[in-house]
Amino acid sequence: MLQILAGIPSLVLWMLIVPFCVGLLVNFILPRSRRTVGITFILGYLVYMGIFEVVAIACMTKVTYSAFTYCRKIFIICVAVLAVAGIVRSVMKFREGEKNYLALFPGEAHADVFDLMSPRSNPGFYKLDYSKETIIMWVIFFVIMAFQMVMAVIMASFDGDDAYYVVESLLAQQADVMNTILPYTGTSTSLDMRHALAAITMWIAFVAKESGIHATVLSHSIMPLFFIPLVYLVYVEIGRVLFRAKQQVIPVFMIIVAFLLMFGNVSIYTPATFFLMRTWQGKALVANLVFPLIFWIFLWMFEEAGSTPPPNRREKEWEQPRRDWCPWIELFFVNMLSGMCSSLGVIFGSGLIALLTLILLVYTRKVRVLLGAMLCIVPNIVYLMIYFSLIG
């Protein structure tokens, strides 16, 4: 217990502060109305994990000895530079007094008369006075989420996959290797391509090493406390798009989602079962984090496509390209996270994106949709090229 308490500052640093600071650096790609704390953190987390995937794959394929040490050092340098740059940029923006640089959440940014008159303005992203009933609903949702987090820790389940995935993280933490020792036997082997490119186990090992917490304890008792709120944050953003004109409905939507996930254990293979019982596993993150992220980004693009009138004179010239390309750029990093979690995420994620892109193409009748889809799918293509080149 003392070891966990001593590691809390490192956990907060590497799982919350650093990703958010990276987001502060890159959130300039976001449209002004979506530049909130929640979306900034999601964007920063995606970039943060994308950097780790690149560094981890490079180290495990090119470094023979002490690969994990090299991975840790290179990754720390990369994200530290980006995080510091994000902090510096934020300080400069606040000193310049830039309005609406970062809102706590949609509804905190006040709209002026020009925002309200703009044909592209979304009223759901500006100041909203929640009723007492809405506040009560939010409290009920947070109580349910807290209950799930507590139960995920004190009723942690164990399954056969832990003997492989968790041990891979533990071997990296204690033996300084990256997928070159068989977890079942402890014998040395060549790079295990069956699981190597799914580098989520190595990221867990990185957090375990930096915090000093045993990788098994981190996987079963700490990761659910991080990933469960992150998944619900994505669903909140989905709700903000679905109920753009009725933001008071969002907490009701979140309560329904929470109950569906909590009582979705109708078999051992449902996404809800994996969400609460195997939260730390890559396949669970693909089903419960990556796929909702894909749906959210496409809902975002459908919403933007519905705002067809041109921007008013007050909006800057680069705001329109930002609205058009920002979702595709974010989807690019979602695909990197998908490959980092599971090779199945690369295949199924690509298929889901292809289907939704076809629907978006029919809806918008704009050829640039195909260009954006080809751009965002590049990580999946590179992932498959690396996989087949190494496995052959």
Side-chain angles (χ1 to χ4, degrees), residues 347-367:
I347 306 300
F348 290 112
S350 299
L352 181 60
I353 289 172
L355 175 62
L356 295 175
T357 299
L358 178 61
I359 300 173
L360 184 63
L361 178 63
V362 173
Y363 180 73
T364 61
R365 299 180 183 179
K366 295 179 180 179
V367 181

Side-chain angles (χ1 to χ4, degrees), residues 160-179:
D161 285 342
D162 291 347
Y164 198 98
Y165 297 114
V166 175
V167 176
E168 283 285 17
S169 300
L170 183 59
L171 287 170
Q173 179 187 17
Q174 296 186 349
D176 199 16
V177 297
M178 301 180 74
N179 298 286

Side-chain angles (χ1 to χ4, degrees), residues 150-158 162 219-221 224 276-277 280:
V150 171
M151 295 302 291
V153 174
I154 65 176
M155 299 294 290
S157 62
F158 298 86
D162 291 347
S219 297
H220 284 273
S221 301
L276 295 177
M277 299 178 67
W280 55 91

